[in-house]
Amino acid sequence: MKPLFFNEDKGLRNGWWALIYLALLAGCLAGFQLLLVPGLKRLGLRSGDWVVGLLFGLSLLAAWICTRLRKESLASTGWRLDGRWAREFAWGTLLGIGVMVLAAGLLWSVGGVTWELDPARSFRALSRGFVVFALVACWEENLFRGFVFQRLLDGVGAWPAQVILALFFGLAHWGNPGMHGATKLWATLDIALAAVFVGLGYLRTRSLALPIGIHLGWNWTQGTVLGFGVSGTTAPHGWVRPVFQGRPEWMSGGAFGLEASVFGVIAVLVGIALLWCWKGRGAAPIGAVPEPWHPESA
């Protein structure tokens, strides 16, 4: 039975570590729901954007416990916050913005959309949207490209890990509003490809900075700046709002957002191609098993 649980170095296998992380996260979420939510409701606090921040915090807590058990640092999961991390985050944000502007530009070029100024536009709305989507990006990337993804990388290699997490990332959005018919097909394809896109960002840098930046730039531009839906949810008021010109939903994305559009698929494929051509900096070759992190390598 030992080979089922332990590898040749007598360490617990990566699959079990991934399950431990998910069990810890589920326990943290259940504890919060049972113990803290009733008290918060009695205080008159309603669920809102702060919930995403809490989810991110709990996912970090679960990762911290697992890395401590492995005698590693939380920084080993992609949170080595330094100047390089900040630069990669900034470049990732610009890349995410660029990919979404490309998708919107393609839709506009075929006469599928125009824009009008949002009456509720304000710099405060733009800033609030940026913060909200930054929290969303941190939560989802820590969950899907953090500890679990990295254990899969060690256990099965880069591309099997990419495929597994892309499937889960796509399935995680199936319950979102607007998932129906052709929209469901294009949205699932685009979201799965987006998971490969940001996963490739991790593989090129061995950091969560670039994936978080891409995710943030993508969502913020799509929702707060351009006024589209974001994975079926209504974005905070931004600067403009789209006026659709009667094109089918597989072109416009409909209420779900540009992620359910054929142009969203094209744009994310361009992003994947850009990262594929970029050799990265300080990253192991794609397909190689990464070396374990050690404090002296920081």
Side-chain angles (χ1 to χ4, degrees):
M1 290 292 291
K2 284 187 177 180
L4 177 64
F5 294 96
F6 300 98
N7 56 30
E8 295 81 1
D9 299 322
K10 299 183 180 180
L12 190 64
R13 289 191 178 278
N14 286 289
W16 294 110
W17 278 115
L19 290 176
I20 289 171
Y21 171 84
L22 293 174
L24 284 170
L25 180 58
C28 290
L29 292 173
F32 168 75
Q33 186 70 26
L34 292 173
L35 301 176
L36 294 181
V37 168
L40 293 174
K41 287 183 177 179
R42 285 194 293 270
L43 293 174
L45 296 176
R46 295 178 297 178
S47 61
D49 301 333
W50 60 269
V51 171
V52 180
L54 177 69
L55 291 172
F56 168 52
L58 293 178
S59 71
L60 274 182
L61 175 62
W64 178 80
I65 293 172
C66 287
T67 53
R68 294 301 296 171
L69 291 173
R70 288 168 56 88
K71 296 181 172 56
E72 297 173 347
S73 165
L74 185 62
S76 67
T77 65
W79 290 102
R80 196 173 304 161
L81 303 180
D82 53 17
R84 175 179 169 179
W85 201 98
R87 289 190 296 272
E88 289 175 352
F89 170 77
W91 281 113
T93 303
L94 291 175
L95 180 56
I97 290 171
V99 167
M100 190 48 61
V101 167
L102 173 60
L106 289 172
L107 179 59
W108 171 82
S109 71
V110 298
V113 70
T114 59
W115 285 270
E116 62 185 16
L117 290 174
D118 189 334
R121 66 189 181 278
S122 68
F123 288 108
R124 180 180 179 182
L126 286 174
S127 301
R128 178 176 177 272
F130 190 90
V131 172
V132 169
F133 286 124
L135 290 173
V136 170
C138 287
W139 150 241
E140 292 193 352
E141 291 311 307
N142 194 58
L143 179 62
F144 287 98
R145 252 65 60 185
F147 186 82
V148 170
F149 181 60
Q150 292 150 29
R151 298 287 63 75
L152 288 175
L153 287 178
D154 283 355
V156 299
W159 291 112
Q162 284 273 59
V163 171
I164 292 169
L165 268 297
L167 290 174
F168 276 105
F169 198 56
L171 289 173
H173 291 77
W174 266 26
N176 289 25
M179 272 283 200
H180 57 81
T183 299
K184 192 168 191 174
L185 172 64
W186 285 106
T188 302
L189 176 60
D190 192 40
I191 290 170
L193 286 172
V196 174
F197 181 26
V198 290
L200 189 55
Y202 175 82
L203 292 172
R204 289 305 194 199
T205 60
R206 300 295 172 179
S207 169
L208 289 176
L210 193 68
I212 289 171
I214 292 171
H215 200 144
L216 165 61
W218 171 289
N219 280 350
W220 181 68
T221 304
Q222 178 179 209
T224 307
V225 177
L226 297 177
F228 292 98
V230 180
S231 300
T233 62
T234 303
H237 286 290
W239 207 254
V240 296
R241 59 188 183 187
V243 179
F244 295 108
Q245 304 298 315
R247 294 294 189 271
E249 283 195 355
W250 63 267
M251 292 180 65
S252 69
F256 193 86
L258 282 173
E259 292 163 325
S261 164
V262 62
F263 298 119
V265 172
I266 293 171
V268 79
L269 286 172
V270 171
I272 289 171
L274 289 173
L275 286 184
W276 183 263
C277 294
W278 181 52
K279 293 182 179 180
R281 184 171 54 176
I286 293 177
V289 176
E291 294 293 328
W293 183 87
H294 297 288
E296 59 267 20
S297 66

